[in-house]
Every structure is written in structure tokens, then in C-alpha cells.
């Protein structure tokens, strides 16, 4: 259907490939066709990994990145064979492995000596120890980034050996490494003061009873954090921290901190967060999920320090109302993404803020808004948000039960750039759209009350859909789905799981009628890839 010269050009521009079980019969042809592949993602593959790695070796590819996540284990012989041909591999991702041992770490280090990034996070059965980590660190002198979260048997020795031996190390993550102590973290940081990103949690210690005992932050840890002069990102999710710790962080890296994550942290106060942000005005990504003492007044004060902010996550901050949304959109000119799930949106908030707000001012920067699970969010509030953020490209309203179909139509009319809309588990039933929604590509209606009539409107007004999710829509039948397939000429993925009035036999007709389709999840839950 396309000229060979065009394909010869585009084939050379394909650098990444995700391999599924259904892909394997075609791999010999694909490896020949895409001879410049640099990235392979095997995280969705559940077949014979040893055989697949052998195929990859035989292809002659020279990979930069290999993702083997979600496998039952890593075949040592397969890794050795791969390493004999691909010694230039730079990024190796193997998170969520069923069973991970020291032998895996040693083979990885021997076979891929030029690794710059390694992810061995959260194995289901971690048998890695300080011995394996020492051997790995002594062989990977070019390592720049490592994630060893969830390897719960390692101790301070592992952390120290990594920071001592990996001279290029810049980023390290070690969440839920329970045997790593505050003193060990402090000692490791002092060995590698050039770290630019650290991610860890300071555990709360449980007593024999139902309560928690909160241990003071080690003064050595506070002093070591102050020494990280090149720190640009820190993630302390689910940690016990103190204002003193935040003060030290502010004094040490006030100039260049770009990312700050304090999700679900306890023992700190607004004073500590405010002081840190007042010193670190270059923060672009801020995550304060479940920091439950935050109020609209707090956000108003913090926003004065957030002129460089591009992304904020305030999900689970249950005191925040509509006022916070308006404050952020007016005071943070660079803001691109807002996440306010499970908050108090839908409530107008403190009236004293509204005289200072100009609702006629449009924030063209905000593109992505996540408002899921806000059970009080109503039509009037959402339309106000859409009026301010008219350049929205993604809107997530998952489980917002008070939003109507009429409101969604009004939002689509005001925000013509929307490409991704999530209305899963809402009460939305009908759409009366009198205009084309030409840019909408992803629509999630799973668990909603839509029927064939609504699908008919969607098929005619949203012809550019690429992905449609209607899982568990019990009022949808073959008739409505047929119209979508006939009219949405770019459709590639369709989820029909638990649509009890749609027949599984519908799949064969769908593939024939819409050649663009690449994946259908049938009503019985079977994923069919074309």
C-alpha cells in the first residue's frame, strides 16, 4: 500500500520496540526491518525469555536500553549470551522480578560493564545481599543512576559501597530498604556529595502495640543533606521528617532544587515546607500528596514562591477547595499540570480570596488536569475551571459522580484542544454534541452509564479517537460499538471487557471492518492483538 522508498526511510527511524507474546512469531522479520533498534521493552512478555534473548543476540542489534521487568526470574545463561554481544548496553531495567539473587547482580555487572543506569527495584522475592551489591558496585564504575528500592536485605554497607565505588553516581533510590539506617545514609552521602537526585524514606518504627514511635532525625543525616550542593531532586515519600531537616535541606540546595516530593510525610509543619520553598524558588515539580494540614490559605502563601512551578500534586489534601485551583492558575504562570484528586473541590472555599481573583484571565499554560475521586465536584465548578484553562489537553474526572453530560459538552466546547478525557465511573449517560471534537484521541467511559445512543453521537463527533475504553458499560450493545468502529477511522485500541450485551464473535468483524485496529479486549476479558 505504500511505496518501498518511503518504508526504507521510515524503517531507519524506528529505534524502539515493545515485544508482546503475540509479537514473537514476527520477530525475525521485525529485527531485519528495523535494523537500528536501540531500545527493547520485554516487560509485557510472558513466554520463554531464554529463547527470546537468544533471538535478540542472533539479530545483531546493538542496544542502548533493555527492559526485562515483570519476569519470573532472569536467566543467567541468557544474560551471559546477551552480554557477549551487547557490551555497550547503557540502561538495564529489571524491576518487579519474581526472584532476584546475588548471582543476578554479579552476572549483570560482568556482562554489561558500561551500564549507566540500573533498575532492580521491588523484586517479589529479594535475596540480594551486601555481598552482591559490593560486587556490582566494584564492577560498574560508570554507573550514574540506580534504583534498588525494595531490596530489603541490604544494609548500610551496600549503600556505602555504591557511593564509594561508583565514581559517576548521580542518582540513587532506595525506598523500603528496612535495614538501611539514618547513619548509613549520612555516611553514603558524604562519600558522594555530587549526587543530584536522592529518593528514600525514613521509616516510622512500630512498637509492639498498635501505635508508632517516632524517632528523631539523626543530626549526621541533617548535616550530610546540607552538603549536597548539586541536588536537583529529592523524594522523601512516606517519611518521618522534621522542620529542622527541611531547614537544612533549604540551606544546602536552595539554588538549583527542581523536584521536591514530600508525599505522605509526617512530623513536619507548614513552617518547614514554607521555608524550604521560599529558599528553593526554582522548584518545578512539587508533590505534596496527603499532606493533610494544607489549607487554601497555605497554598496562597506557598504560591508566592512557585513562579517556576510546572507540575503540582495535591491529591489527598482533603481541606483544599476551589480556591486552591484558582490560586494556582493565577499565581503560577508556568504551571502545566495540576493533580487534585480526592480533595474538597466543588466547595467554593474562603470568600476573602475571590476579590483578588480575575476570572477573565485565561491560563494558557495548564494542559493536564487530574481531578479524579472528587465526589463534590459539580458542573458549575468544572465549567469555571475549563473557562480559565481553555488549552487543556488532558482532563481526568474519574469517579466524579456529580458531573453531567451537559457539563462535559460545555467543557469540550470551551477546551477544543482536549486529546485525553477520562469519564470512567461517572454518572454521565448522554452527550448532545453539535460540533466536531476533532482532537480527542483517548476517551475512557468505563463503568459509566452510556448507551448505544451516546456511542452513536461519539462516533460521529469524535472521529479521531485512537483509544476507547467502555469496560463494564452494561447499556452498550453490538449496535453502538459497530457505529464506533465504522466511523472512527483512526481507532487502534478498544476495551469491551465486561460489556455483557456485546458478543465475543464481534472481534472478527471488527478486525475486517477497521484495519487500523491493533488491540481489542473482548467482553470476556481476552486481549486480542492484531
Amino acid at each position: 500500500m505504500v511505496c518501498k522508498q518511503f518504508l526504507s526511510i521510515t524503517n531507519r527511524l524506528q529505534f524502539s520496540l515493545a515485544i508482546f507474546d503475540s509479537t514473537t512469531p514476527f520477530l525475525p522479520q521485525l529485527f531485519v526491518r528495523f535494523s537500528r533498534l536501540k531500545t527493547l521493552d520485554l516487560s509485557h512478555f510472558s513466554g520463554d525469555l531464554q529463547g527470546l534473548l537468544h533471538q535478540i543476540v542472533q539479530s545483531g542489534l546493538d542496544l542502548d536500553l533493555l527492559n526485562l521487568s515483570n519476569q519470573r526470574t532472569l536467566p543467567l545463561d541468557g544474560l551471559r549470551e546477551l552480554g557477549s554481544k551487547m557490551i555497550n548496553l547503557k540502561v538495564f531495567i529489571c524491576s518487579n522480578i519474581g526472584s532476584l539473587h546475588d548471582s543476578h547482580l554479579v552476572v549483570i555487572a560482568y556482562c554489561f560493564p558500561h551500564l549507566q543506569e540500573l533498575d532492580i527495584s521491588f523484586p517479589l522475592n529479594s535475596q540480594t545481599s551486601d555481598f552482591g551489591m559490593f560486587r556490582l558496585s566494584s564492577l560498574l564504575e560508570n554507573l550514574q543512576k540506580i534504583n534498588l528500592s525494595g531490596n530489603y536485605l541490604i544494609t548500610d554497607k551496600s549503600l556505602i559501597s555504591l557511593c564509594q565505588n561508583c565514581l559517576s553516581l548521580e542518582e540513587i533510590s532506595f525506598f523500603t530498604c528496612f535495614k538501611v539506617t539514618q547513619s548509613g545514609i549520612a555516611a553514603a552521602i558524604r562519600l558522594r556529595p555530587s549526587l543530584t537526585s536522592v529518593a528514600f524514606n525514613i521509616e516510622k518504627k512500630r512498637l509492639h502495640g498498635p501505635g508508632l514511635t517516632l524517632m528523631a532525625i539523626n543530626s549526621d543525616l541533617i548535616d550530610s543533606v546540607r552538603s549536597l550542593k548539586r541536588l536537583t531532586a529529592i523524594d522523601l515519600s512516606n517519611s518521618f521528617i522534621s522542620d529542622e531537616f527541611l531547614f537544612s535541606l533549604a540551606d544546602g540546595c536552595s539554588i538549583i532544587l527542581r523536584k521536591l516530593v514530600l508525599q505522605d510525610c509526617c512530623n513536619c509543619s507548614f513552617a518547614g515546607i514554607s521555608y524550604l520553598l521560599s529558599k528553593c524558588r526554582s522548584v518545578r515539580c512539587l508533590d505534596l500528596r496527603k499532606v493533610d494540614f494544607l489549607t487554601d490559605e497555605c497554598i496562597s502563601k506557598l504560591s508566592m514562591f512557585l513562579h517556576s512551578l510546572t507540575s503540582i500534586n495535591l491529591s489527598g489534601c482533603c481541606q483544599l477547595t476551589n480556591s486552591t485551583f484558582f490560586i494556582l492558575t493565577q499565581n503560577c504562570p508556568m504551571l502545566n499540570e495540576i493533580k487534585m484528586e480526592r480533595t474538597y473541590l466543588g466547595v467554593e472555599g474562603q470568600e476573602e480570596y475571590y476579590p483578588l481573583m480575575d476570572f477573565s484571565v485565561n491560563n494558557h499554560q495548564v494542559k493536564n488536569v487530574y481531578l479524579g475521586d472528587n465526589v463534590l465536584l459539580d458542573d458549575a465548578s468544572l465549567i469555571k475551571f475549563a473557562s480559565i484553562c481553555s488549552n487543556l489537553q488532558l482532563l481526568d474526572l474519574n469517579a466524579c459522580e456529580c458531573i453531567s453530560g451537559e457539563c462535559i459538552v460545555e467543557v469540550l466546547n470551551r477546551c477544543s484542544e482536549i486529546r485525553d478525557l477520562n469519564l470512567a465511573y461517572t454518572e454521565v449517560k448522554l452527550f448532545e454534541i453539535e460540533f466536531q471534537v476533532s482532537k480527542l484521541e483517548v476517551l475512557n467511559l468505563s463503568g459509566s452509564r452510556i448507551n448505544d445512543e451516546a456511542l452513536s453521537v461519539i462516533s460521529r463527533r469524535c472521529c479521531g479517537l485512537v483509544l476507547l475504553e467502555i469496560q463494564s458499560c452494561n447499556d452498550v450493545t453490538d449496535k453502538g460499538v459497530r457505529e464506533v468502529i465504522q466511523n472512527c477511522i483512526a481507532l487502534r485500541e478498544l476495551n469491551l471487557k465486561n460489556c455483557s450485551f456485546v458478543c465475543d464473535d464481534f472481534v472478527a468483524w471488527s478486525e475486517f471492518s477497521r484495519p487500523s485496529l491493533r488491540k481489542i479486549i473482548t467482553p470476556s476479558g481476552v486481549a486480542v492483538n492484531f
Side-chain angles (χ1 to χ4, degrees):
M1 301 281 294
V2 185
C3 71
K4 291 182 178 180
Q5 183 180 4
F6 176 77
L7 286 176
S8 69
I9 295 172
T10 57
N11 289 346
R12 295 197 299 270
L13 301 177
Q14 182 73 25
F15 300 113
S16 63
L17 180 66
I19 297 177
F20 297 79
D21 292 351
S22 56
T23 314
T24 50
F26 310 102
L27 283 179
Q29 300 97 303
L30 291 174
F31 287 153
V32 171
R33 178 180 174 185
F34 304 122
S35 58
R36 295 191 177 185
L37 287 175
K38 290 295 182 182
T39 298
L40 284 183
D41 181 358
L42 279 61
S43 61
H44 304 284
F45 178 76
S46 60
D48 177 15
L49 184 58
Q50 174 84 30
L52 180 53
L53 292 179
H54 177 72
Q55 268 192 283
I56 294 171
V57 170
Q58 295 301 311
S59 70
L61 294 173
D62 185 18
L63 297 178
D64 288 335
L65 184 152
L66 179 63
N67 188 345
L68 299 182
S69 299
N70 308 320
Q71 303 298 322
R72 290 185 293 274
T73 189
L74 298 175
L76 296 178
D77 290 340
L79 291 179
R80 291 188 184 98
E81 185 180 10
L82 197 67
S84 67
K85 298 293 184 181
M86 297 186 185
I87 61 172
N88 293 320
L89 192 73
K90 292 181 173 57
V91 181
F92 189 44
I93 304 171
C94 48
S95 64
N96 195 39
I97 296 297
S99 183
L100 191 68
H101 297 260
D102 284 341
S103 56
H104 293 120
L105 302 187
V106 174
V107 169
I108 289 170
Y110 269 114
C111 294
F112 309 113
H114 300 296
L115 276 184
Q116 296 176 2
E117 298 183 21
L118 177 62
D119 185 346
I120 52 172
S121 61
F122 298 108
L124 301 182
N125 176 25
S126 175
Q127 296 299 317
T128 56
S129 69
D130 293 333
F131 169 77
M133 208 62 67
F134 173 78
R135 294 291 300 278
L136 181 138
S137 66
S138 62
L139 292 168
L140 296 180
E141 61 181 21
N142 296 318
L143 195 66
Q144 298 175 9
K145 179 179 179 180
I146 187 168
N147 188 345
L148 43 94
S149 301
N151 286 274
Y152 44 79
L153 296 180
I154 65 171
T155 71
D156 296 345
K157 293 179 181 179
S158 292
L159 209 59
I160 290 171
S161 64
L162 282 166
C163 289
Q164 191 169 42
N165 297 330
C166 301
L167 302 181
S168 301
L169 192 64
E170 295 180 351
E171 303 181 36
I172 185 168
S173 300
F174 49 98
F175 288 109
T176 62
C177 294
F178 302 119
K179 294 188 175 184
V180 173
T181 68
Q182 293 186 36
S183 297
I185 298 171
I189 286 176
R190 285 200 182 90
L191 290 169
R192 192 58 49 206
S194 58
L195 287 171
T196 62
S197 175
V198 293
F200 60 91
N201 56 319
I202 302 172
E203 289 287 318
K204 307 159 190 174
K205 302 297 183 181
R206 187 169 293 279
L207 294 170
H208 293 298
L212 293 174
T213 179
L214 301 179
M215 299 179 64
I217 301 293
N218 189 310
S219 60
D220 287 343
L221 179 58
I222 293 175
D223 291 339
S224 66
V225 168
R226 190 182 288 116
S227 70
L228 294 174
K229 301 301 183 182
R230 296 180 57 190
L231 193 68
T232 61
I234 185 167
D235 184 344
L236 299 169
S237 296
N238 195 32
S239 286
F240 168 75
I241 56 177
S242 64
D243 285 345
E244 183 184 2
F245 182 88
L246 296 179
F247 294 156
S248 295
L249 183 62
D251 294 336
C253 56
S254 60
I255 299 176
I256 59 174
L257 192 67
R258 300 286 186 265
K259 179 180 179 181
L260 174 64
V261 181
L262 299 176
Q263 174 194 350
D264 201 17
C265 287
C266 68
N267 197 50
C268 62
S269 71
F270 176 71
I273 294 176
S274 179
Y275 182 79
L276 175 57
L277 291 175
S278 70
K279 293 290 186 178
C280 306
R281 300 197 181 203
S282 58
V283 168
R284 296 174 184 171
C285 179
L286 178 61
D287 189 338
L288 298 175
R289 275 176 287 175
K290 299 173 72 174
V291 179
D292 52 13
F293 58 73
L294 289 176
T295 63
D296 295 333
E297 182 180 4
C298 293
I299 298 301
S300 179
K301 293 177 179 178
L302 293 180
S303 68
M304 298 299 101
F305 314 131
L306 301 177
H307 295 296
S308 299
L309 194 69
T310 60
S311 174
I312 189 168
N313 193 338
L314 297 170
S315 298
C317 298
C318 54
Q319 298 189 63
L320 302 183
T321 71
N322 291 0
S323 294
T324 284
F325 190 94
F326 297 135
I327 290 166
L328 291 172
T329 53
Q330 296 212 1
N331 294 347
C332 304
M334 304 300 293
L335 194 59
N336 176 272
E337 179 179 83
I338 301 174
K339 293 185 178 181
M340 289 186 65
E341 301 173 322
R342 300 177 303 282
T343 62
Y344 214 38
L345 284 179
V347 176
E348 290 299 336
Q350 302 179 37
E351 293 183 0
E352 61 262 31
Y353 293 120
Y354 288 95
L356 303 175
M357 297 179 187
D358 183 358
F359 292 104
S360 65
V361 175
N362 198 314
N363 187 317
H364 297 286
Q365 286 295 119
V366 177
K367 302 291 195 304
N368 305 311
V369 173
Y370 298 81
L371 306 178
D373 291 300
N374 280 295
V375 295
L376 298 179
L377 181 62
D378 57 8
D379 290 355
S381 299
L382 184 58
I383 289 173
K384 285 181 182 177
F385 298 163
S387 299
I388 294 172
C389 307
S390 59
N391 277 0
L392 276 183
Q393 295 182 6
L394 182 151
L395 179 60
D396 187 341
L397 299 170
N398 178 60
C400 293
E401 299 173 354
C402 295
I403 300 299
S404 70
E406 291 80 4
C407 173
I408 296 302
V409 172
E410 181 63 26
V411 169
L412 290 172
N413 189 30
R414 293 172 184 248
C415 305
S416 59
E417 297 294 317
I418 286 184
R419 290 162 169 75
D420 190 329
L421 179 61
N422 187 352
L423 300 174
Y425 303 99
T426 63
E427 294 296 310
V428 171
K429 184 175 181 180
L430 292 174
F431 296 98
E432 295 183 6
I433 306 176
E434 300 298 331
F435 52 90
Q436 290 297 319
V437 188
S438 57
K439 294 188 178 180
L440 188 64
E441 296 179 350
V442 178
L443 179 60
N444 190 344
L445 296 166
S446 297
S448 67
R449 300 176 59 197
I450 62 152
N451 53 24
D452 288 345
E453 183 181 351
L455 282 185
S456 177
V457 173
I458 290 169
S459 72
R460 288 181 279 108
R461 300 303 185 189
C462 309
C463 300
L465 279 181
V466 175
L467 169 61
L468 177 62
E469 302 248 10
I470 51 176
Q471 176 178 334
S472 302
C473 290
N474 296 321
D475 296 325
V476 166
T477 71
D478 290 356
K479 179 178 180 293
V481 178
R482 188 181 298 269
E483 285 198 59
V484 169
I485 291 174
Q486 288 176 333
N487 294 331
C488 297
I489 59 175
L491 193 65
R492 293 178 64 86
E493 295 188 34
L494 179 62
N495 186 352
L496 302 171
K497 185 177 181 180
N498 296 332
C499 292
S500 53
F501 292 104
V502 179
C503 300
D504 273 358
D505 296 340
F506 196 69
V507 173
W509 175 87
S510 303
E511 180 185 7
F512 176 77
S513 302
R514 177 53 55 216
S516 63
L517 270 173
R518 292 293 177 268
K519 181 179 181 180
I520 291 183
I521 299 179
T522 68
S524 59
V526 177
V528 180
N529 295 287
F530 303 125

